[in-house]
Structure formats: C-alpha cells, structure tokens
C-alpha cells in the first residue's frame, strides 16, 4: 500500500469538508466531501473566494465578524454559516479555521461540518431565548417605570418617568412627554435624551394641536399611536416641519397619545436618528407605559384637588380658615426681634344679611364671590386674603406697621363699598374692619395665631359698636 | 505625545481609547474604524503617516478598548451619536484642517461629522463606505433587509464561539485576574447587545440624502473585491458627494487597509498631494 495515496483518500473521503485558502480567502485546495456538500465541481470552487459560497447574511458576518477575529486571534471554532448550494437550497455548517502564517506566505485551513440538524435545534433555542430576553426586558422596563411612577409626586415627574421608560423601551435618541394644560395647549415637555424642542414644537403644531375642534384636527380626532418610519414618510406628513426635522436629525418618529377618559391628556414623542420601524410588541409596550402614566396622573391630580380643597374656600376660591391659620403660624414661628411687623385684618361685611334676606342665598353667594375677588385684587402681593366663613374675611400682612395697616384697612373698606352689587340692586354693603398688630420683640410673650385673629375680631366688634364701616386697630 | 489642551480631554481619551502620535503642529490625520473592528485595524497604515502628521486613532464607543460604560443605547442608535463623538474628539484635541480617513461605517460617520462642522475638516477619505446597504428602488446596496436579519442571527448563533474567542482578550486586557467567569459572561453579554445594535445601525442606516451636503474635498476608495461595499456603492458616493473622486483599488476584500496597506497609503498620499 502506498501511504501517500492512503492520506489522499483520507483527505477526500473524510466526512467533513476540508479547504485551504489564501489569507484573503481565495480557495487553493478543497476535498471531495466539500464539493459534494456544495454540489459543485472543483473548478467552480478552486480559485474562487470561499465567501462566494455563502448566503448574503453569512457573507456579512464572514467579512465583518469572522475574518477580523480570525486575523486577530489566528483561529476560530464552531462558527456557524449558511452555504448556498447549486440547487438554490442552503446548507447550515459549522466552520473551524486556523491560520498558518508560515505556509505559502500565509494560509487559512478550514474544516466544514454539516450542522443542519443541530442548527435547526439551535435556531429554535435562539428563538426561545430571544423571546425570553424580550419578556425579561419588557418586565424590567415596566417594573422600573412602575417604581418611578410610584415615586413621582407631581405631573412633571410622571411625565419624566414616562419619557425615560419610553426611551429605554425603544432606544430612541430622545423621548419627550407633553401634557395637555387647562388653557388648551401643551405644557413644557419632560424629556429624556437629547430632545430638540424646536422640532417638537413644529411637530405638535403640524399635528393640529389639541385645541382644534374640527374633525380634521389631526390628533384631536384620531388619538392612536403612529410610527413614521423614515425621512420620506416624515416630511410627507409634516411638510412644514421638514427643515426642522432635518436640522434636528430626526429620521423617524413615534407619537403615542395619552388617553385620559377618552380625551387626549398628553402626547409622547419618541424620535430616532435613523430609519426605524417599531414592531407590534414595542408599540404595545409604549402604549402600556402611556396608559400606566395616565392612571398615575389621575391619582396625582386627585390628590392635588383634595389638597387644594382642604386649603381653599369652595365658594370664593380664596384660602380658607385652615390655610389662613397655617400661614399665620408659619409667620410667627420664624419671628425674631428684627423681623417685620405682622398685621391681621378682620373684615366683616355690614348689611350683608339684608342681601340674603331680600334677594336670596344665590345672590348672596354671588356677592360674596364678587367681594372676595375685589379684596384679592386690592391687597399687596405677598399678603394673604381668605374667607373665614359667612361674611367674614381675613387678611394677613407681613411687614405692615400701624400706619400702612391703617391705610390698607381704609383701602379694603373702599373696595367693599365700591364693589358693584348687580345681584342686589339698591342695597349697599360696607365693611367693619378690625386690625391686630404684632411687632416682634415688643412683648415678652409671643402671641399665637389664634390670639391675633381673636384680637382682630375684637377690634372689628369695636368698629361695629362705634357705627360700622370703619376700622379699629389694636396692638398685640 | 501630548494631549488634553482642553479640559475633559482625559475623559474622552478614556471613553474613545484615543492615541495621538507624531510631531506637534503637523497636519492632523484621524483614522476611524468600521463595524466589527477597532483602531487596531489601522496598524499597518497609520504608522506610515507618523513622520509628517499628527496621527489620531480612536475606538468608537462600544468597540475595541473604548469605555463600555459610556454606551448609551439611545445615543448610539444612529450614526449621529458616533459623529458627535468624532467632533468632540477633534475639538478636545484642538485639531483643525483635519484629514479624516474612515473605513466602512467609519467613513459614513466622517461624512456626518463633516456636514455638521465643515470648517473642521480639510479632506475626507472614504474607504469601503456605503450610503445604504439595503437595495432600494433604483439603488443597489448589495443586500436585502433579510440579509441583515441573517447577520443578526449569525451574531447570536456565534455568540458562544465569539465569547470563547474574546474571553482571553478580556482577561489579557484586564489587570484583574480575579474576574470571575460570571463577570466575564456579563461583560460578553453586554458586548453582544452592543454588537447587535451597532450592526443594526450600520446596516440599516440610509445616508443617501445627506451626501449632497458634504462640502469637504473627498476621495472615495473602493476595492474591486469587496462584498460588503461593492464598487457600485463607491460610484454612488462619488456621484452624490459634490466634487468627489473615486479610486478603485485592485485589492481583496473589505479590509483593504489590512490586505493592501501600501496601496492604500500611496492612494491617500497622492490624494493629499
């Protein structure tokens, strides 16, 4: 037996493809097994690039993944590729490679194994793993968002949490949340990433805003998620914003409405720096996040409403007794000898009972609202005017000495007298005012807020007793 | 070698693994690598310029020896994020009248940077670039969208092979031999995610409509046997970038800077004049 022939047989018959190639990948030797694998003749293979036998996707990986690594590390094992067969079918293989730098100025030796069954199995595993990773990512994003929403104490913080979560969910260049404000516009955005507010403003404008009641009013009419996946689509939908989009390098955009009780409560904009499509699970995730944020916004608004109501008089909208007392206590807590004087003005309407008696309580309420609004306009900024109840109002002034408190009392009396009473024509209402003044450091005992109010009340009675429509001042 | 004329340059040097060599005050030449590689790929070309140029090499964030902690998925979801980094590097090193040589997607990153700040650049050399890899109506990029999906599949399918190749690299580069297998695994997983995203950004970007805005003198270099960026991709770049020239090199493959460094060096030098 000739051992050379035997080795040659082994080379050709061994159940794996064997190839030698130049360092640039041009095939120099190939065994019969490989030719059988790719269903090609020797002359179709030798002298050609190995890459020519790969599917386009495998070519990309070969050039950008495999070859750079092989060149850097000299060897590679069990790398998966797909070969193109003459029949048009593909064959999955594993490839081992080693670089022999000495031989013929550098040679790459390849061993190729049919891996059809294993690759099929691996593809299933891979699909399952991707699904699992995807679910895991989704859960993480939702959990992180839920925590952030839970910690949010204001609408702005909720909007920020939504922007952050949306960016994490989509890898967006920037995500911004615009909440609808009561005036019919949008609030300043809460953004995550490098948001470009100019282009976003242009987009919102082009979307028709929310104030447009016409059926053509873009969003106002059809609040659904829209993904504009490329520059052409974007400029077709937003011709007026096209230049701004280009400058801001936005090449794709997703708009997700925040639906609050069937109405638009805000909008989420996620912008991308390259053409992007969002697959249904991602859109679904964005919508879940948006919906979750709406629930949190509702909770926060309710809390703010409760807090507002607990501090305000429902009839006039002015601070109520509770907030007046709180304010006074705050002022007194900080008091030290150099602190300014505090004045408390107790205002009781004269002749209000006749309004109620003659024109009814609705007219009386209306008069109280009107006078409340006039008083609020008449006081200095920083002073607090509120309603104690009935026809009693209270003004708390920081930094008002006897002289200026007296002036203020006169101004309030004039204000009340001059408030037009359309609901109670023919009647006139005036005010009896009582003022208590406390100058820190003048008395050894610091008075309480209640005591100051009580004192002002007594002063007011003094005004009533001495003929009404006048002011009396008492020093604490 | 001096760096850091600006505050914050040190941080950038770490983030982008920047090296700078060559005489102070010499014309600056910056090399930008492509997808799937690192600044190492310029090892045969860059030294040819060190005598008469200030040669700057760097790794894109997420590649090579860059600081992985700087990888922000939103920022690097488009080539603009990388272009911003390139501009930051040029400013931080105080470079001007820059010759930028970019390979593959690194070439396209250079185009975006030169559009954003044309005054910073003297000239562009685009090696194996492509404005868009996916075929489109009336445009040949060389690939279909499915092929990019197949590439992503390959990245995943070859995760094990890849991780076992890269593991010694991580270990070798690390001053911390106590790195556990677990830690290593988490590193490679993070890198795998970066590689997937960079692949998407590279192969799904479309810069066709940007190219007419390039005002920097540009040389397009394409090699005859490049399956990633075929010669037609180079012709498209030449036809779209005003005043640009195309040089087709008889060379093998996508990595002409590795397969034929002398030819590429000569081509760049004759373009620079």
């Amino acid at each position: 037996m000739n051992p050379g022939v035997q080795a040659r047989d082994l080379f050709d018959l061994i159940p794996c493809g064997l190839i030698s190639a130049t360092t640039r990948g041009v095939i120099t030797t190939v065994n019969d097994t490989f030719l059988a694998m790719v269903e090609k003749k020797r002359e179709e293979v030798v002298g050609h690039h190995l890459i020519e036998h790969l599917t386009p996707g495998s070519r990309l990986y070969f050039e950008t993944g495999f070859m750079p690594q092989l060149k850097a590390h000299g060897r590679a094992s069990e790398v998966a590729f797909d070969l193109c067969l003459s029949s048009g079918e593909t064959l999955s293989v594993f490839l081992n490679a080693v670089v022999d730098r000495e031989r013929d100025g550098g040679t790459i030796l390849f061993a190729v194994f049919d891996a059809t069954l294993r690759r099929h199995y691996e593809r299933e595993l891979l699909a399952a793993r991707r699904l699992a990773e995807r679910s895991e990512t989704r859960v993480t994003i939702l959990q992180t968002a839920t925590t952030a929403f839970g910690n949010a104490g204001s609408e702005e913080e909720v909007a920020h949490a939504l922007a952050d979560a949306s960016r994490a969910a989509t890898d967006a260049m920037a995500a911004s949340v615009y909440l609808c404000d009561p005036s019919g516009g949008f609030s300043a955005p809460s953004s995550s990433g490098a948001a470009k507010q100019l282009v976003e403003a242009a987009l919102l404008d082009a979307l028709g805003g929310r104030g447009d009641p016409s059926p053509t009013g873009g969003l106002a009419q059809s609040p659904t998620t829209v993904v504009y996946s490329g520059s052409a689509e974007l400029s077709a939908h937003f011709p007026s914003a096209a230049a701004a989009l280009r400058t801001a390098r936005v090449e794709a955009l997703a708009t997700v409405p925040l639906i609050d009780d069937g109405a638009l409560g805000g909008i989420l904009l996620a912008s991308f720096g390259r053409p992007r499509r969002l697959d249904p699970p991602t859109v679904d995730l964005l919508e879940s996040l948006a919906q979750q944020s709406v629930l949190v916004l509702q909770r926060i608004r309710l809390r703010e409403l409760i807090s507002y109501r607990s501090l305000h008089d429902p009839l006039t909208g002015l601070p109520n007794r509770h907030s007046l007392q709180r304010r006074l206590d705050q002022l007194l807590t900080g008091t030290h000898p150099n602190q300014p004087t505090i004045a408390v003005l107790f205002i009781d309407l004269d002749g209000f009972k006749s309004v109620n008696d003659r024109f009814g309580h609705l007219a009386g309420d209306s008069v109280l609202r009107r006078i409340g609004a006039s008083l609020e306009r008449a006081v200095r900024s920083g002073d607090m005017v509120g309603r104690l109840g009935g026809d009693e109002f209270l003004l708390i002034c920081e930094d008002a000495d006897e002289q200026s408190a007296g002036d203020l009392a006169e101004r309030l009396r004039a204000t009340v007298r001059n408030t037009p009473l359309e609901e109670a024509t023919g009647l006139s209402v005036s005010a009896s005012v009582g003022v208590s003044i406390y100058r820190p450091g003048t008395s050894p005992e610091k008075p309480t807020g209640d005591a100051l109010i009580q004192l002002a009340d007594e002063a007011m009675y003094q005004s009533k007793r001495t003929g009404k429509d006048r002011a009396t001042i008492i020093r604490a | 070698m001096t760096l850091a004329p600006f505050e914050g340059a040190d941080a950038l040097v770490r983030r982008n693994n920047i090296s700078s060599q060559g005489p102070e005050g010499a014309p600056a030449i910056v090399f930008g690598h492509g997808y799937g590689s690192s600044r190492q790929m310029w090892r045969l070309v860059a030294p040819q310029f060190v005598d008469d140029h200030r040669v700057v090499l760097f790794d894109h964030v997420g590649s090579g020896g860059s600081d992985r902690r700087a990888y922000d998925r939103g920022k690097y979801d488009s080539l603009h994020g990388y272009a911003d980094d390139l501009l930051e590097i040029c400013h931080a090193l105080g470079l001007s009248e820059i010759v930028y040589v970019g390979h593959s997607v690194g070439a396209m990153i250079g185009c975006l940077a030169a559009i954003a700040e044309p005054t910073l650049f003297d000239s562009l050399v685009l090696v194996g670039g492509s404005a868009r890899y996916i075929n489109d109506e009336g445009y040949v990029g060389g690939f279909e969208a499915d092929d990019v999906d197949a590439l992503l599949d390959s990245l995943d399918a070859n995760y094990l092979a890849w991780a076992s190749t890269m593991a010694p690299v991580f270990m070798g580069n690390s001053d911390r031999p106590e790195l556990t297998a677990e830690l290593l695994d988490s590193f490679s997983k993070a890198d795998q995610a970066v590689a997937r995203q960079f692949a998407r950004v590279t192969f799904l970007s479309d810069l066709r409509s940007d190219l007419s805005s390039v005002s920097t003198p540009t040389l397009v270099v394409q090699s005859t046997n490049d399956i990633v960026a075929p010669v037609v991709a180079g012709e498209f770049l030449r036809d779209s970038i005003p005043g640009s020239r195309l040089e087709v090199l008889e060379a093998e493959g996508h990595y002409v800077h590795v397969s034929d460094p002398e030819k590429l060096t000569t081509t760049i030098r004759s373009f620079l004049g």
Side-chain angles (χ1 to χ4, degrees):
Chain A
M1 286 227 312
N2 182 337
V5 171
Q6 208 177 37
R8 184 74 219 176
D9 284 348
L10 178 64
F11 174 70
D12 272 327
L13 298 177
I14 195 165
C16 73
L18 296 176
I19 302 167
S20 69
T22 65
T23 49
R24 293 170 191 185
V26 178
I27 295 174
T28 48
T29 321
V30 64
N31 72 348
D32 289 350
T33 312
F34 183 77
L35 294 175
M37 268 181 175
V38 292
E39 302 166 349
K40 287 191 173 104
K41 297 193 185 70
R42 191 170 301 273
E43 59 268 28
E44 293 175 294
V45 174
V46 174
H48 290 265
H49 237 285
L50 174 59
I51 207 166
E52 292 171 36
H53 303 289
L54 300 177
T55 60
S58 283
R59 286 179 183 187
L60 274 184
Y61 184 68
F62 188 92
E63 272 300 80
T64 62
F66 175 76
M67 283 302 264
Q69 273 181 46
L70 186 62
K71 282 181 178 153
H73 306 296
R75 58 171 59 242
S77 304
E78 293 183 57
V79 187
F81 285 107
D82 291 320
L83 296 176
C84 280
L85 307 185
S86 294
S87 58
E89 301 282 304
T90 62
L91 177 71
S92 293
V93 297
F94 280 138
L95 208 143
N96 287 355
V98 61
V99 182
D100 185 343
R101 297 188 200 281
E102 305 306 316
R103 195 179 300 273
D104 301 334
T107 300
I108 311 175
L109 303 171
F110 295 97
V112 188
F113 304 87
D114 185 335
T116 310
L117 290 175
R118 187 163 297 195
R119 288 294 304 283
H120 179 71
Y121 178 63
E122 278 187 6
R123 278 201 186 93
E124 283 180 354
L125 282 181
L126 184 62
R129 197 184 83 190
R130 278 188 188 161
L131 197 66
E133 279 176 359
R134 172 144 218 159
S135 314
E136 191 187 324
T137 308
R138 184 189 163 91
V139 167
T140 306
I141 288 169
L142 282 170
Q143 273 175 350
T144 309
T146 304
T147 308
F149 285 149
N151 292 336
S154 67
E155 296 187 38
E156 202 188 332
E157 283 171 15
V158 177
H160 256 295
L162 176 60
D164 285 342
S166 305
R167 190 161 178 259
T170 56
D171 294 339
M173 176 167 72
S176 295
V177 174
Y178 291 78
L179 298 178
C180 295
D181 65 27
S183 68
F186 287 103
S187 66
S190 302
S191 300
S192 174
K196 307 284 199 305
Q197 296 196 4
L198 267 180
V199 71
E200 290 179 352
L203 289 171
L204 287 178
D205 203 37
L207 281 166
R210 57 180 280 254
D212 186 354
S214 78
T216 54
L219 264 179
Q221 185 237 352
S222 56
T224 53
T225 300
V226 184
V227 180
Y228 307 93
S229 58
S231 290
E233 204 180 324
L234 261 179
S235 30
H237 278 88
F238 305 102
S240 58
L245 282 163
R246 174 162 277 271
T247 311
R249 311 189 300 201
V250 175
E251 294 184 24
L253 177 80
T255 61
V256 183
L258 273 54
I259 312 288
D260 187 350
D261 256 346
L264 189 70
I267 185 157
L268 161 69
L269 297 180
S271 46
F272 304 94
R274 65 178 170 100
R276 280 285 303 266
R277 288 173 202 288
L278 298 184
D279 56 6
T282 305
V283 171
D284 185 57
L285 178 55
L286 281 183
E287 289 177 343
S288 301
L289 290 167
Q291 204 46 47
Q292 206 179 331
S293 77
V294 168
L295 295 177
V296 182
L297 285 171
Q298 286 172 344
R299 194 198 72 207
I300 283 176
R301 282 181 194 141
L302 191 64
R303 205 166 64 195
E304 281 171 356
L305 186 67
I306 291 169
S307 152
Y308 180 85
R309 288 204 173 148
S310 74
L311 294 173
H312 290 81
D313 165 44
L315 180 65
T316 57
L318 294 175
N320 62 11
R321 177 185 289 271
H322 176 59
S323 39
L324 288 163
Q325 278 169 335
R326 203 159 76 161
R327 163 74 178 213
L328 201 48
D329 288 342
Q330 272 168 2
L331 288 181
L332 287 166
T333 312
T335 306
H336 62 82
N338 292 331
Q339 265 208 322
T341 309
I342 296 168
V344 176
L345 284 77
F346 199 113
I347 303 128
D348 187 286
L349 304 183
D350 307 319
F352 178 73
K353 191 168 175 301
S354 343
V355 177
N356 267 348
D357 290 349
R358 282 184 52 187
F359 296 93
H361 283 284
L362 278 180
D365 286 352
S366 178
V367 165
L368 287 175
R369 265 198 295 269
R370 203 181 281 270
I371 289 175
S374 303
L375 289 175
E376 199 176 19
R377 277 194 299 273
V379 302
R380 311 174 306 176
S381 72
D383 293 349
M384 182 192 259
V385 64
R387 179 175 173 236
L388 291 172
D391 56 359
E392 294 172 347
F393 294 85
L394 194 77
L395 173 66
I396 297 167
C397 307
E398 191 182 11
D399 196 13
D401 58 16
E402 216 158 304
Q403 177 69 42
S404 55
D407 293 348
L408 252 173
E410 289 311 311
R411 193 154 90 220
L412 295 186
R413 279 181 49 233
T415 301
V416 171
R417 209 179 319 111
N418 295 333
T419 303
L421 306 179
E422 288 154 22
E423 301 82 356
T425 320
L427 284 184
S428 73
V429 170
S430 60
S432 293
V433 182
V435 184
S436 63
I437 289 184
Y438 168 63
R439 185 177 292 126
T442 51
S443 61
E445 287 277 314
K446 191 198 280 185
T448 64
D450 279 342
L452 283 181
I453 296 175
Q454 180 66 37
L455 214 53
D457 192 7
E458 282 166 21
M460 185 276 292
Y461 268 104
Q462 184 74 24
S463 298
K464 287 268 187 204
R465 276 199 299 274
T466 51
K468 300 182 180 172
D469 195 12
R470 64 194 64 212
T472 308
I473 298 179
I474 300 179
R475 266 196 230 143
Chain B
M1 167 172 148
T2 50
L3 281 175
F6 280 85
E7 240 178 273
D10 283 348
L12 280 193
V13 167
R14 273 195 303 279
R15 185 186 74 182
N16 284 98
N17 192 26
I18 302 170
S19 80
S20 169
Q21 278 182 295
E24 194 71 16
I29 186 165
V30 179
F31 291 92
H33 70 81
Y35 167 75
S37 54
S38 70
R39 72 176 211 203
Q40 283 299 315
M41 286 306 241
W42 296 108
R43 65 190 178 276
L44 304 176
V45 173
Q48 313 291 325
F49 291 87
V50 170
D51 287 344
D52 54 353
H53 284 81
R54 183 165 175 202
V55 176
V56 175
L57 296 171
F58 69 99
D59 286 328
H60 298 303
V61 171
S63 301
S66 68
D67 184 351
R68 299 299 201 270
R69 287 167 303 181
Y71 194 81
D72 173 309
R73 292 188 61 86
K75 175 176 178 183
Y76 298 111
D77 193 58
S78 82
L79 297 180
H80 299 296
Y82 293 99
D84 287 346
D85 284 359
L86 172 57
L87 292 171
E88 260 178 42
I89 291 167
C90 295
H91 285 299
L93 300 187
L95 307 181
S96 62
E97 295 175 44
I98 298 158
V99 176
Y100 177 80
V101 183
H103 173 244
S104 191
V105 76
M108 306 324 292
I109 291 166
C111 288
L112 291 177
I115 292 169
E117 289 195 46
T119 52
L120 209 49
F121 295 90
D122 172 84
S123 47
L124 295 176
V125 180
L126 314 180
V127 184
S130 178
R132 175 184 158 112
Y133 290 92
I134 311 290
N135 299 330
D136 194 16
E137 220 176 296
Y139 174 81
V140 180
F143 297 91
E144 298 294 336
D146 286 350
D147 300 333
V148 175
D149 288 339
L151 168 68
L152 295 173
D153 284 349
S154 290
L155 282 174
D156 279 346
N158 288 310
Y159 166 66
L160 277 179
W162 179 87
S164 64
T165 316
M166 292 311 284
V169 180
F170 282 130
M171 289 306 237
N173 285 350
S174 171
D175 301 328
R176 297 160 54 203
E178 77 278 11
L179 273 183
T180 61
E182 194 184 346
L183 199 53
L184 211 97
D185 188 48
S186 77
F187 275 166
S188 12
K189 261 190 185 147
D191 269 42
Q192 175 76 350
V194 169
R196 285 179 60 85
Q197 193 181 19
F198 195 16
R200 278 213 183 85
V201 171
T202 298
F203 295 109
L204 298 177
S205 283
D206 185 352
L207 270 68
R208 289 176 298 170
S209 62
D210 294 288
L211 296 176
S212 63
S213 310
V214 177
S215 58
T216 310
T218 299
L219 173 69
V220 180
V221 181
Q222 224 73 5
S223 57
T224 44
N225 219 334
D226 183 348
I227 70 110
V228 180
V231 173
V232 284
E235 290 169 349
F236 184 86
L237 291 176
R238 176 200 59 199
D239 295 343
S240 308
I241 299 174
S244 63
R245 287 205 289 120
L246 169 66
E247 194 82 47
V248 178
L249 300 185
E250 287 289 335
E252 285 287 346
H254 188 50
Y255 300 89
V256 61
H257 45 339
V258 178
S259 63
D260 215 333
E262 297 78 18
K263 203 180 271 178
L264 181 62
T265 303
T266 311
T267 307
I268 296 172
R269 280 211 175 270
S270 69
F271 170 66
L272 297 180

